[in-house]
Amino acid sequence: MPFLYPGFEVYWKPLKTSSKLLNTHRRRLHSEVSHNETLSRNPGTSDHVNYNEHLNPPPEDYGRTIFADKCTLSLHAGSGGHGCISFLREKFISAGPANGGDGGSGGNIYIQAVRGETSLHKLARRGILKAGRGRNGQGSSKGGQRGEDVLVQVPVGTVVREVSRYDPVTEDNEKLNLTANSASVGGDTGGSRSRDKWILYPSSDPSEYATAEFPVLPKPRRSSLALVQPPSPISLDLSEPMEQPILLAAGAVGGLGNPHFVTKSMVRPKFATRGEAGMRLELELELKLLADVGFVGLPNAGKSTLLRALSRSRARIGDWAFTTLQPNIGTVVLDNSYGRPRLHAVDSDGERRTQFSIADIPGLVPDAHLDRGLGVGFLRHIERARVLAFVIDLSIGDSVLALKNLWNELNEFERLKDRDTNSETEHRIVSWQAFGSSVSTASSQDAEIETGTQDIMINAGSQTLPPLQMPPISSKPWFVVGTKADLRSSQDNYAQLKMYLESVSTGTVPLPSGKKHGWKGQLMVIPISAIRGEGMDQIMDWTISLLNL
């Protein structure tokens, strides 16, 4: 039974099991449990206690965390396959009619927000996603096979914004509109303007391509699925899990086979059209909601140990500052499908919540808003948590002062962010000039409009998007977790911190955020001992009550 008693794994041998060995190990395990229970009742009886291997792990138990909450993704919809040039070949039929099939449509690109994903590092590592190209048409009027679709799965709470796009069909239509009144185009019946859109019979001589007379090229075609694409520019807020994906880019249509060009004068056309080129999108993906709960605290406050005590995370822990260099995400399971769950919670959409996520954010140092310590980037993670848990070390320093310093860093970060946003808005000026400097008279301007040769110059600045607008940090529910409360030196700090939060809740003391419209719910400090695993139930109960607001 290694799944019931993990300690048996060392001696477990399915084919050669000794009952005497198992009984000996069972007695040894029982004595260790009794000894640990005795030490937990009398903490002063030993200087070092291995309470839990998961909370005090060896270095080889650490797991590498790869995390990214923002990335730029280049999406390439599939191009269409070429049309086929083929003729019927049967017995007693010397010159059969054209029967080439159309090319297959290119693959589509979809996006879907799913549960279980917590990071964008998989997409950031790939960078470019390409849908499959449609297969070429075949003889006997067989159409080409469709290209393979691409499904982009992102975490819930992802914001998708368009940076740029390239749509060949739109460009071709614009060229047709600009040259619609041109006399040269009106007399062009051979389709010489778009010879690169045609393909000839494979046995044709290459020199025939330059002299062949092609019919008028059909207008650029777009897939019917393009009607369900989101309007340009794309801006999606995927804040809920999705049962059906959203179409981002429809694949291009395939080329036309030679039967489409049969006329009375040309019964056996030896040409077909190429497939349309696929659309290209450059999107910026950013997590609006990093986790349900975010741990905020100074370095070496016990955040990583607390994350291990609440979840099965394998975050690195140690008795030194900056153990965590990037956010660690853990999942607290409320209902493991065994028996009746102890806690009942519901999501914002009314569904029963079976788990919630926790983000261990790297520690903040004084003047972190000035890009000191690990930088401003980690302050950005704090505003992406639904509930904030301020982790304060009760064993050292003034806990009330530590809480005020943390709130001061958050306030300064918001102030600098608002100032940068206003300055970027002022400098985002679009200047355009309808005509070049050589055009001076109105008649010449009208002539350029008619011929479609006018130059429109637009300088829109850089292609970077403005920062994502997030709700103020002061408006989020928050509470305080006092770590290392098992030490006797922490009792005075806990009493002062509890008294301060009670004064803030009653309104006798202003909010530590300094904002008049900050969150004014009931504040609470929860004393815990993460290394002993004590106080975890109180954190879960209080967190669920805040998530249900």
Side-chain angles (χ1 to χ4, degrees):
M1 296 179 294
F3 59 95
L4 294 178
Y5 301 92
F8 286 1
E9 293 178 358
V10 180
Y11 305 100
W12 180 259
K13 295 181 180 180
L15 299 180
K16 299 179 181 180
T17 304
S18 173
S19 60
K20 182 178 180 180
L21 183 62
L22 292 178
N23 292 332
T24 303
H25 186 73
R26 186 179 293 110
R27 289 193 298 268
R28 184 187 305 171
L29 181 64
H30 178 72
S31 62
E32 291 178 359
V33 172
S34 302
H35 179 63
N36 289 338
E37 290 179 354
T38 304
L39 292 177
S40 62
R41 299 190 188 97
N42 303 295
T45 57
S46 177
D47 296 335
H48 175 74
V49 180
N50 185 12
Y51 300 102
N52 191 331
E53 186 178 357
H54 179 68
L55 300 180
N56 190 16
E60 57 269 13
D61 186 59
Y62 297 150
R64 182 187 177 190
T65 301
I66 304 176
F67 179 80
D69 67 337
K70 186 178 182 180
C71 72
T72 301
L73 198 61
S74 180
L75 304 178
H76 296 229
S79 301
H82 303 327
C84 178
I85 306 171
S86 176
F87 304 95
L88 179 64
R89 299 182 61 182
E90 291 185 0
K91 192 176 183 180
F92 306 116
I93 299 179
S94 58
N99 65 349
D102 298 341
S105 301
N108 307 320
I109 299 180
Y110 299 88
I111 190 170
Q112 184 180 16
V114 297
R115 299 182 185 272
E117 295 289 339
T118 57
S119 174
L120 297 173
H121 70 277
K122 297 178 183 178
L123 299 176
R125 184 171 55 232
R126 299 187 65 177
I128 300 176
L129 296 177
K130 295 182 179 181
R133 176 183 175 274
R135 300 294 183 89
N136 297 337
Q138 301 178 9
S140 302
S141 299
K142 294 181 180 180
Q145 185 180 0
R146 288 186 64 253
E148 295 184 359
D149 298 336
V150 170
L151 177 60
V152 182
Q153 293 185 338
V154 297
V156 177
T158 302
V159 175
V160 183
R161 295 187 292 175
E162 179 181 327
V163 179
S164 63
R165 73 165 52 202
Y166 170 71
D167 190 355
V169 176
T170 302
E171 288 195 357
D172 291 343
N173 287 328
E174 291 177 354
K175 291 180 180 178
L176 288 177
N177 295 333
L178 291 175
T179 59
N181 298 327
S182 176
S184 60
V185 175
D188 183 12
T189 59
S192 58
R193 62 180 176 85
S194 301
R195 287 185 175 272
D196 57 339
K197 297 290 185 180
W198 297 92
I199 55 177
L200 285 176
Y201 194 65
S203 62
S204 301
D205 190 83
S207 61
E208 298 180 6
Y209 186 80
T211 59
E213 294 185 0
F214 299 108
V216 177
L217 186 69
K219 292 184 178 180
R221 298 176 299 139
R222 194 185 301 273
S223 173
S224 58
L225 292 177
L227 297 175
V228 299
Q229 290 180 178
S232 176
I234 297 176
S235 180
L236 303 175
D237 187 357
L238 309 179
S239 57
E240 298 293 339
M242 301 165 53
E243 296 183 359
Q244 299 293 334
I246 297 177
L247 177 64
L248 288 181
V253 297
L256 300 176
N258 59 341
H260 290 274
F261 308 102
V262 174
T263 61
K264 292 182 179 180
S265 60
M266 187 179 298
V267 183
R268 291 167 53 86
K270 294 186 177 181
F271 46 79
T273 60
R274 300 180 183 272
E276 300 289 348
M279 179 192 300
R280 296 199 298 267
L281 291 175
E282 185 177 358
L283 302 179
E284 182 183 87
L285 278 64
E286 189 171 0
L287 283 180
K288 183 182 68 173
L289 179 62
L290 178 64
D292 294 320
V293 183
F295 288 161
V296 184
L298 298 173
N300 199 25
K303 298 184 296 297
S304 299
T305 307
L306 178 58
L307 180 66
R308 273 183 168 262
L310 289 171
S311 66
R312 298 301 300 173
S313 173
R314 298 173 59 194
R316 182 183 181 186
I317 63 175
D319 191 13
W320 61 84
F322 297 110
T323 307
T324 303
L325 300 179
Q326 57 184 354
N328 295 318
I329 308 297
T331 302
V332 179
V333 178
L334 302 177
D335 185 5
N336 56 3
S337 300
Y338 288 97
R340 181 175 299 176
R342 190 179 66 87
L343 298 175
H344 297 274
V346 293
D347 293 329
S348 57
D349 54 357
E351 296 184 0
R352 189 167 62 91
R353 182 189 294 272
T354 60
Q355 60 186 19
F356 65 88
S357 57
I358 301 176
D360 173 20
I361 302 171
L364 305 181
V365 299
D367 295 334
H369 64 281
L370 301 178
D371 208 11
R372 295 182 180 178
L374 294 181
V376 183
F378 296 105
L379 282 170
R380 184 170 54 89
H381 298 310
I382 297 176
E383 62 181 355
R384 284 163 171 76
R386 185 174 299 173
V387 177
L388 300 181
F390 289 86
V391 183
I392 305 296
D393 187 357
L394 299 178
S395 62
I396 56 175
D398 186 354
S399 57
V400 177
L401 180 61
L403 179 61
K404 292 181 179 179
N405 290 337
L406 291 175
W407 269 113
N408 179 61
E409 294 299 328
L410 299 183
N411 294 334
E412 292 295 330
F413 167 71
E414 283 194 327
R415 185 179 61 83
L416 292 178
K417 180 182 175 182
D418 294 339
R419 187 186 65 181
D420 295 342
T421 302
N422 294 335
S423 61
E424 289 181 3
T425 305
E426 293 176 359
H427 289 84
R428 196 177 296 117
I429 301 175
V430 178
S431 60
W432 68 281
Q433 184 178 359
F435 301 95
S437 58
S438 61
V439 180
S440 58
T441 63
S443 59
S444 59
Q445 295 177 1
D446 295 338
E448 287 199 356
I449 293 177
E450 292 180 358
T451 58
T453 58
Q454 76 277 12
D455 297 328
I456 298 178
M457 295 169 287
I458 297 178
N459 182 16
S462 62
Q463 294 294 328
T464 57
L465 296 176
L468 188 64
Q469 296 297 325
M470 303 295 296
I473 298 179
S474 58
S475 64
K476 298 179 180 293
W478 60 278
F479 65 102
V480 180
V481 177
T483 60
K484 306 176 185 179
D486 54 332
L487 304 178
R488 294 183 178 179
S489 58
S490 63
Q491 296 180 3
D492 295 337
N493 259 336
Y494 169 71
Q496 295 177 3
L497 184 59
K498 182 179 180 181
M499 185 182 302
Y500 170 74
L501 294 180
E502 290 177 353
S503 301
V504 172
S505 299
T506 56
T508 57
V509 176
L511 294 171
S513 61
K515 302 295 180 65
K516 295 181 179 179
H517 303 287
W519 188 72
K520 298 180 180 179
Q522 182 180 0
L523 299 178
M524 184 177 184
V525 54
I526 303 175
I528 67 164
S529 175
I531 193 64
R532 296 172 177 267
E534 298 176 353
M536 302 301 109
D537 292 340
Q538 288 79 357
I539 294 180
M540 295 175 61
D541 295 341
W542 193 255
T543 301
I544 292 299
S545 64
L546 295 179
L547 292 176
N548 289 338
L549 293 178

